[in-house]
Amino acid sequence: MSDITPEITRQITPEIVAEHGLTAEEYERVLRIMGREPKMTELGIFSVMWSEHCSYKSSKFWLKKLPTEAPWVICGPGENAGVIDIGDGKACIFKMESHNHPSFIEPYQGAATGVGGILRDVFTMGARPVANMNALRFGAPEHPKTRHLVGGVVAGIGGYGNCMGIPTVGGEVNFDPSYNGNILVNAMTVGIADQDKIFYSAAAGIGNPVVYVGSKTGRDGIHGATMASAEFDDDSEEKRPTVQVGDPFTEKLLLEACLELMATDAIIAIQDMGAAGLTSSSVEMSDKGGVGIEFDLDQVPVREEAMTPYEIMLSESQERMLMVLKPGREDMARAIFEKWELDFAIIGRVTDTNRLVLKAGGEVVCDIPVPPLVAEAPEYERPWVPTPPSPVLAAEDALAGMDISPTDALAKLVASPDLCSRRWVWEQYDHMVMADTVRRPGGDAAIVRVHGTDRALAITTDCTPRYCVADPVQGGRQAVAEAWRNLTASGAKPLAITDNMNFGNPERPEIMGQFAGCIEGMTDACLALDFPVVSGNVSLYNETNGGGILPTPAIGGVGLIEDVTRDITATGFAAKGDAIVLIGETAGHLGRSMLLRVCSDRHGDAGAPPPVDLAAERRNGDFVRGLIGSGQVSACHDVSDGGILVAVAEMALAGGIGAALTLPVSGPEADLPALAWLFGEDQSRYLVTSPDPDALLAAAKSAGVPAIVIGTTGSAQLTVGEGNSISLSDLRNAHENWLPDYMAVV
């Protein structure tokens, strides 16, 4: 190892403390724990472990309120990923995580390493990853950086996932000016493992060897966790050295080597090196096991000269794992990793000291008690204020001055950045691997077969930030309910969610109020829908120069389809002459709607969002799932952004079959303005098609579920009432062209 003396003896000043993201009070806590002034390496370790990214110090108080248990939950939050029972001795392991700040600074590598990191979280637990999802949010299309960021992020996700051979089967892409200076890149991975072969991270066995495997350590990503825990300013791009660089080909080797070793009895504990690298992996393994760890840093494989202990411990170089092995298994493990052309090094041992001790050059460069490093990490109940309620916007007021036909409005909506086809994005991803992708991107939820069986997983991501900013409680409810609805519409029983809580600066009471409100709403929905949170990530300080993003609690949902040959239905119209049946009540709610955002000068920021009746969500969804399972419907799609007419258009385009819609002629819905009925974004609604609507309506009446026939499938047109029609070809051109045309501009 290089000369470490300057690092050990460097004077800790208030400026250095601040540069490490610690407050004066937090540093006083460090001094109390240590009983002395820390060395630079020790200060760096406290800095990253107490960063927002690693400690959740601003969010932990609220996260504890989320429901995390259900009979099918095997492992909830706290491990690398969540684990649920999917039957037949199999488990689904999944998680969503953010790579927002790195992706804004360097979009290709930021997005690529985000995918690599979430893949490692999943296969660390013994699962073979089977599918990726993502939730991407960019600034206004006209912003000078947006096109560059879209291109880089999509290429990075596709490049890494494609090289790994893990299909990307769906996701979201949204645009809004609030993300101009801080894009969101949320990546989700789903894997499958045998329930009796799940691996955890708690170190155990005094004297057992601690092993480093994977790639060598470099200087990339140092203080990445700290960087991700602070807001941006005009100099944010200067933080490029904090962005990691990934190699998917090495990750593929690491995946196969780890799974091969996991098939033996050699591993006691395993942890990937993600945020904060060797620091967080060693501290978490030690803390969970109630043991200490001692490292000889001279044994760590490095790819750069003269790396200091500080740099080695804080590096976020990719494609690395830390393991505790059973004694005597070292040679076997070494042979496996060397066969896969990966580094393997015994760098330390488990101790009974409950301390993290680091040696380099024959000297102790770090000696920190582990329990207080974790247990005494700051936890703040930050001041917060509730978001002021927005007034409910009556349909007549919302439509005042709007002179547009339903079909013209539809054409504008499907050609808008918000609702246009994402084909340009997902065609850059491998989404068909091993022939197990049953439903490819573009529907309510992706469907991936459990290999070799007729069971399948349904996977979705969802969030409506424009609702969350207007009413965080309703927005939180809606995000969970929408994910639940997407899974239900695919025929799946929703089982659990992972979340990615993307917000601005939590030190601002109004931002903390958004966070608290979203958590409250999510909690309500998770409880009402038996849809617990089993994993997740928090990303705060998403703002630039004091301008925060829209509150974005992204939800990743997973559901189970018992028999993929029987229990699913089409997303698009499947046959001509079928009745189109609307499930759920329509009040014509236009507050925060896409119609206002795209077709009026209010830009979607007027009024309150639609209320979420969770009892209705449960009742209507369970009924629809029953219809699908009994084969009573030929197609199903939930109603969300853009309301009924956009949902009908999406079904028509997906199936290549047009439809004729009839406006209501009786009841309260007949009194609504046509545009409100067609484009209102009331919740708890589905569109289903059936050749036998009478039987379906009778079943709905018996179940107490609102249902009406609103049209019939057929023709090459989409017709609304009398004299309003648009051809499917014109609709498809409008829908498909915006994004490729936008990205083609040089």
Side-chain angles (χ1 to χ4, degrees):
M1 187 65 59
S2 64
D3 181 17
I4 59 170
T5 303
E7 180 177 304
I8 293 175
T9 60
R10 187 178 176 187
Q11 182 68 34
I12 306 293
T13 65
E15 290 75 23
I16 289 175
V17 171
E19 287 171 4
H20 281 74
L22 296 173
T23 67
E25 187 277 333
E26 289 169 350
Y27 184 63
E28 286 298 318
R29 189 178 301 193
V30 171
L31 293 176
R32 179 175 53 79
I33 291 170
M34 297 295 291
R36 58 174 171 82
E37 185 177 271
K39 301 168 184 175
M40 279 298 297
T41 300
E42 293 167 335
L43 180 67
I45 287 171
F46 273 101
S47 167
V48 294
M49 291 306 301
W50 287 8
S51 69
E52 191 72 54
H53 191 81
C54 291
S55 75
Y56 298 106
K57 59 188 177 185
S58 296
S59 58
K60 197 182 301 180
F61 173 83
W62 294 99
L63 296 174
K64 293 174 182 176
K65 300 178 182 294
L66 292 168
T68 60
E69 297 179 349
W72 50 87
V73 174
I74 296 172
C75 178
E79 276 290 340
N80 289 289
V83 187
I84 57 174
D85 181 353
I86 57 171
D88 296 334
K90 297 291 185 181
C92 173
I93 299 178
F94 66 103
K95 187 182 180 182
M96 182 190 288
E97 197 159 64
S98 63
H99 232 221
N100 303 336
H101 287 61
S103 299
F104 182 77
I105 297 169
E106 213 308 302
Y108 185 96
Q109 289 296 345
T113 52
V115 173
I118 196 63
L119 283 168
R120 285 194 302 281
D121 278 341
V122 169
F123 74 73
T124 295
M125 298 192 71
R128 178 171 290 280
V130 297
N132 290 331
M133 300 280 284
N134 53 71
L136 313 177
R137 288 176 169 85
F138 300 100
E142 61 272 17
H143 190 274
K145 288 187 177 180
T146 299
R147 188 177 287 104
H148 162 72
L149 291 168
V150 172
V153 165
V154 171
I157 291 171
Y160 207 101
N162 295 355
C163 290
M164 285 290 295
I166 311 296
T168 299
V169 294
E172 299 177 273
V173 181
N174 293 122
F175 299 86
D176 188 89
S178 77
Y179 306 109
N180 282 347
N182 200 125
I183 64 173
L184 303 184
V185 176
N186 296 172
M188 177 179 174
T189 292
V190 177
I192 294 174
D194 292 334
Q195 290 186 21
D196 60 354
K197 295 179 181 176
I198 297 170
F199 291 80
Y200 298 98
S201 58
I206 306 306
N208 283 343
V210 181
V211 174
Y212 171 119
V213 300
S215 291
K216 289 180 170 62
T217 294
R219 289 190 172 94
D220 53 321
I222 293 173
H223 266 298
T226 308
M227 178 270 293
S229 305
E231 63 183 79
F232 282 154
D233 55 29
D234 292 332
D235 299 323
S236 60
E237 292 190 0
E238 295 179 5
K239 298 178 181 179
R240 186 166 281 110
T242 63
V243 178
Q244 313 92 325
V245 177
D247 179 356
F249 299 104
T250 301
E251 179 112 337
K252 177 65 174 174
L253 299 177
L254 183 62
L255 164 66
E256 298 300 339
C258 286
L259 292 179
E260 183 174 339
L261 185 61
M262 287 168 169
T264 73
D265 66 345
I267 298 175
I268 291 174
I270 182 170
Q271 176 76 39
D272 82 297
M273 294 190 216
L278 193 53
T279 291
S280 66
S281 56
S282 57
V283 169
E284 289 172 12
M285 292 177 78
S286 176
D287 181 66
K288 288 176 181 176
V291 296
I293 285 181
E294 182 177 300
F295 286 155
D296 179 358
L297 296 184
D298 293 338
Q299 304 306 312
V300 174
V302 296
R303 55 178 163 81
E304 298 186 54
E305 295 183 356
M307 288 191 69
T308 66
Y310 180 102
E311 291 170 328
I312 290 172
M313 291 303 295
L314 270 66
S315 166
E316 294 186 8
S317 295
Q318 299 292 287
E319 294 86 42
R320 303 179 298 160
M321 293 282 192
L322 195 65
M323 300 180 184
V324 177
L325 300 183
K326 292 181 180 178
R329 305 294 200 277
E330 299 94 329
D331 290 344
M332 177 193 66
R334 183 188 300 274
I336 290 173
F337 281 90
E338 290 182 350
K339 179 187 74 173
W340 290 98
E341 300 182 339
L342 296 167
D343 279 289
F344 178 98
I346 300 170
I347 66 169
R349 63 187 181 92
V350 178
T351 69
D352 62 358
T353 64
N354 280 11
R355 302 182 76 86
L356 176 66
V357 178
L358 310 177
K359 296 179 179 179
E363 299 186 43
V364 174
V365 297
C366 169
D367 187 349
I368 299 177
V370 171
L373 182 60
V374 177
E376 295 188 38
E379 180 177 337
Y380 299 123
E381 186 180 352
R382 296 204 183 270
W384 64 283
V385 294
T387 301
S390 299
V392 175
L393 188 63
E396 292 77 8
D397 295 334
L399 297 172
M402 190 183 301
D403 184 18
I404 191 169
S405 73
T407 49
D408 286 347
L410 176 63
K412 288 188 69 172
L413 282 164
V414 300
S416 70
D418 298 286
L419 294 176
C420 70
S421 169
R422 274 43 177 162
R423 182 185 299 273
W424 181 89
V425 173
W426 56 257
E427 283 190 341
Q428 297 183 57
Y429 306 150
D430 287 340
H431 50 272
M432 298 290 291
V433 178
M434 295 183 67
D436 284 327
T437 304
V438 177
R439 179 170 293 162
R440 64 183 191 173
D444 291 306
I447 299 176
V448 178
R449 188 190 309 269
V450 178
H451 191 67
T453 76
D454 286 330
R455 301 162 74 83
L457 299 174
I459 314 163
T460 188
T461 60
D462 217 286
C463 182
T464 312
R466 66 185 189 277
Y467 292 174
C468 296
V469 74
D471 186 333
V473 176
Q474 292 293 347
R477 288 175 184 162
Q478 194 274 342
V480 173
E482 173 71 6
W484 191 86
R485 218 157 46 235
N486 285 338
L487 298 174
T488 292
S490 72
K493 178 185 179 183
L495 292 179
I497 67 171
T498 182
D499 58 40
N500 208 137
M501 306 295 288
N502 307 275
F503 291 77
N505 186 343
E507 297 167 47
R508 292 163 55 194
E510 66 274 19
I511 300 297
M512 207 61 227
Q514 293 174 347
F515 189 94
C518 285
I519 289 287
E520 179 184 338
M522 290 166 59
T523 299
D524 293 344
C526 289
L527 289 171
L529 303 173
D530 287 333
F531 204 28
V533 180
V534 297
S535 60
N537 177 238
V538 176
S539 175
L540 304 179
Y541 296 95
N542 288 290
E543 54 184 72
T544 301
N545 293 328
I549 63 166
L550 295 179
T552 310
I555 304 297
V558 174
L560 180 66
I561 296 169
E562 291 286 349
D563 187 344
V564 77
T565 66
R566 180 195 67 204
D567 296 335
I568 65 171
T569 191
T571 298
F573 294 145
K576 296 179 180 179
D578 282 352
I580 305 169
V581 180
L582 172 66
I583 306 293
E585 292 182 305
T586 300
H589 195 102
L590 290 173
R592 307 286 164 162
S593 67
M594 279 295 169
L595 182 71
L596 294 193
R597 183 175 170 94
V598 175
C599 298
S600 84
D601 58 4
R602 291 188 170 92
H603 304 295
D605 59 0
V612 181
D613 182 335
L614 292 169
E617 288 283 2
R618 182 66 183 258
R619 179 196 66 213
N620 296 356
D622 288 349
F623 175 71
V624 167
R625 197 179 312 109
L627 292 177
I628 296 171
S630 60
Q632 296 182 65
V633 298
S634 51
C636 181
H637 185 31
D638 88 304
V639 180
S640 55
D641 285 345
I644 291 170
L645 192 53
V646 168
V648 169
E650 290 171 344
M651 296 181 80
L653 292 173
I657 299 172
L661 297 190
T662 304
L663 298 174
V665 294
S666 63
E669 295 185 19
D671 298 329
L672 293 172
L675 291 178
W677 186 80
L678 290 165
F679 296 105
E681 297 183 6
D682 308 279
Q683 301 295 293
S684 318
R685 297 184 299 165
Y686 302 80
L687 290 177
V688 298
T689 58
S690 173
D692 187 4
D694 292 340
L696 196 156
L697 293 176
K701 184 177 181 180
S702 177
V705 172
I708 58 170
V709 175
I710 65 168
T712 307
T713 62
S715 84
Q717 307 254 5
L718 186 56
T719 303
V720 182
E722 299 292 331
N724 267 290
S725 65
I726 184 171
S727 71
L728 284 192
S729 60
D730 288 347
L731 195 63
R732 192 176 304 279
N733 287 335
H735 189 233
E736 295 280 355
N737 289 343
W738 184 87
L739 192 51
D741 288 351
Y742 172 74
M743 294 305 299
V745 175
V746 178

